[in-house]
Amino acid sequence: MNIGVDAAALGMANAVTSHTNNVNSGYWNPAGLIHLEDHELSLMHANYFANIAQYDYIAYAKPIDDESAWGVSLIRFGVDDIMNTTELIDNQGNIDYNRISLFSTADYGVTFSYARKLQIPGFQYGVNAKVIRRIIGQFASSWGFGFDAGIQFENNDWQFGLMLRDITTTYNVWSIDEAEYKKIANAIPGQNQELPESTEITAPKAQFGLSKKFIIRYDYSLLAAANINMLFTKTNDIISTDFASVDPALGFEFGYTDLVFLRAGLGNFQNIQQIDNTKKVGFQPNIGLGFKYKGIQIDYALTDLGNQSAALYSNIFSVKVDLGQFRN
């Protein structure tokens, strides 16, 4: 749930909390769903780790009335066709390749979003309810639940946004198949002797953003955006304390006649420890392209350009469709 969705947003290093205004707002800041004019559908696909892992996303959203909107989305991150060799050797000590089976491990996130305008002009808020499902073949599975809340404010062409993720702390409770676990308990002597923890906790995270769009000679536009991402635990972020860790992000989008878009962003600023125990600051540069015509928008992003961060780069494609454009 931390990777992000929509190639347009990823091309801007995820610095979209303040100005997100379409179906993908259900992920970035549900308050942005208020800007929907009609039904919208979004699809995204990406490959990670040399195509080993598949990341897929689909979302749908629509306005309820002039004051509110709703949406739903599904995210899947999975690795399929993993070989299960726990029964490779039979009872006689013989290797039998016919005993190898395949399994998948996957994480699913379903999000239900609702947004509404406040009575104060320029303000809107949104909330998410999330259901998390994680499956590791026949070995283990879990269920989790969580909530997000977001708000946006617009004034004098400036846009501000605040997104609070997992505000109640998101819990995943695991169920482990003990019979399957015993098959690997003695694979390495002295290891895997006890069942893993059955509860997994996701700490709250706050994201504050601001942005402004500049119009240049009518046909050209430049959107500049910044995010401050704060996680309430100590990590390798560029600013890290016992109370919270802070990771900034910058994003830019250059547009021509609301038809063609060029994007760039910098984010994921991390303190990376080297082999000689020294540290360097890593960051993730992203670039992207977009094309929009008659309600269909196709976007592409290349993340981690130049391999400057510890994250692996990926080619990401997404499609957003304004279904209202196809009505008779």
Side-chain angles (χ1 to χ4, degrees):
M1 297 297 290
N2 288 323
I3 295 175
V5 302
D6 180 28
L10 294 169
M12 296 181 66
N14 305 345
V16 298
T17 302
S18 61
H19 66 269
T20 179
N21 60 3
N22 53 48
V23 59
N24 300 303
S25 299
Y27 178 91
W28 295 112
N29 186 342
L33 292 173
I34 283 297
H35 299 285
L36 288 172
E37 297 181 358
D38 213 313
H39 304 229
E40 286 189 2
L41 176 71
S42 181
L43 301 167
M44 190 193 83
H45 174 75
N47 297 320
Y48 284 87
F49 313 120
N51 296 334
I52 294 175
Q54 309 296 315
Y55 183 56
D56 297 288
Y57 160 78
I58 182 171
Y60 171 81
K62 60 170 288 187
I64 299 173
D65 50 38
D66 292 338
E67 304 292 327
S68 59
W70 71 274
V72 61
S73 65
L74 169 66
I75 292 174
R76 180 187 187 271
F77 188 94
V79 179
D80 300 307
D81 296 331
I82 304 171
M83 289 192 295
N84 178 5
T85 60
T86 56
E87 298 183 3
L88 176 61
I89 301 176
D90 62 23
N91 294 332
Q92 305 300 319
N94 300 312
I95 296 178
D96 185 356
Y97 293 103
N98 293 322
R99 295 167 63 92
I100 295 177
S101 59
L102 301 176
F103 70 97
S104 298
T105 176
D107 295 349
Y108 299 86
V110 180
T111 301
F112 302 92
S113 306
Y114 174 79
R116 189 170 186 85
K117 290 183 179 179
L118 291 171
Q119 296 299 316
I120 306 172
F123 277 94
Q124 54 259 358
Y125 74 91
V127 293
N128 286 338
K130 301 184 295 186
V131 179
I132 310 299
R133 176 66 168 166
R134 308 187 71 185
I135 301 172
I136 306 176
Q138 68 271 39
F139 303 101
S141 62
S142 74
W143 288 98
F145 303 92
F147 296 92
D148 306 327
I151 192 168
Q152 286 182 333
F153 172 63
E154 305 169 21
N155 185 40
N156 294 329
D157 296 327
W158 284 92
Q159 296 175 296
F160 304 87
L162 176 64
M163 177 65 168
L164 302 176
R165 296 185 181 276
D166 305 295
I167 54 176
T168 58
T169 303
T170 296
Y171 291 88
N172 265 66
V173 179
W174 285 90
S175 174
I176 300 171
D177 188 319
E178 295 190 29
E180 292 292 335
Y181 187 80
K182 288 180 180 179
K183 296 178 182 179
I184 62 171
N186 295 313
I188 301 176
Q191 297 187 22
N192 301 323
Q193 300 302 304
E194 297 181 1
L195 291 175
E197 294 287 339
S198 60
T199 302
E200 189 175 19
I201 298 175
T202 303
K205 183 178 183 179
Q207 297 171 304
F208 174 76
L210 73 160
S211 60
K212 187 173 183 179
K213 190 172 187 179
F214 303 89
I215 304 299
I216 307 169
R217 295 184 179 179
Y218 303 103
D219 290 336
Y220 301 92
S221 65
L222 176 63
L223 174 64
N227 255 38
I228 297 295
N229 306 311
M230 182 181 298
L231 185 64
F232 295 100
T233 186
K234 191 169 185 177
T235 68
N236 289 329
D237 287 343
I238 190 170
I239 301 173
S240 184
T241 67
D242 291 334
F243 172 71
S245 301
V246 178
D247 171 30
L250 297 172
F252 301 92
E253 179 186 78
F254 178 77
Y256 173 67
T257 64
D258 200 33
L259 179 69
V260 180
F261 305 91
L262 298 175
R263 306 183 182 96
L266 289 175
N268 195 27
F269 289 88
Q270 302 283 307
N271 291 310
I272 302 175
Q273 188 166 346
Q274 305 299 298
I275 296 177
D276 58 1
N277 290 326
T278 61
K279 289 186 178 181
K280 77 167 187 177
V281 175
F283 60 94
Q284 184 170 330
N286 302 340
I287 59 172
L289 299 171
F291 177 77
K292 182 166 65 174
Y293 182 69
K294 290 187 177 180
I296 299 177
Q297 180 171 329
I298 301 174
D299 295 294
Y300 164 78
L302 174 62
T303 64
D304 192 21
L305 179 70
N307 197 29
Q308 293 296 317
S309 81
L312 296 177
Y313 76 90
S314 183
N315 296 285
I316 299 170
F317 295 89
S318 67
V319 177
K320 182 170 68 68
V321 181
D322 183 351
L323 298 175
Q325 296 288 329
F326 297 91
R327 292 181 178 177
N328 294 328

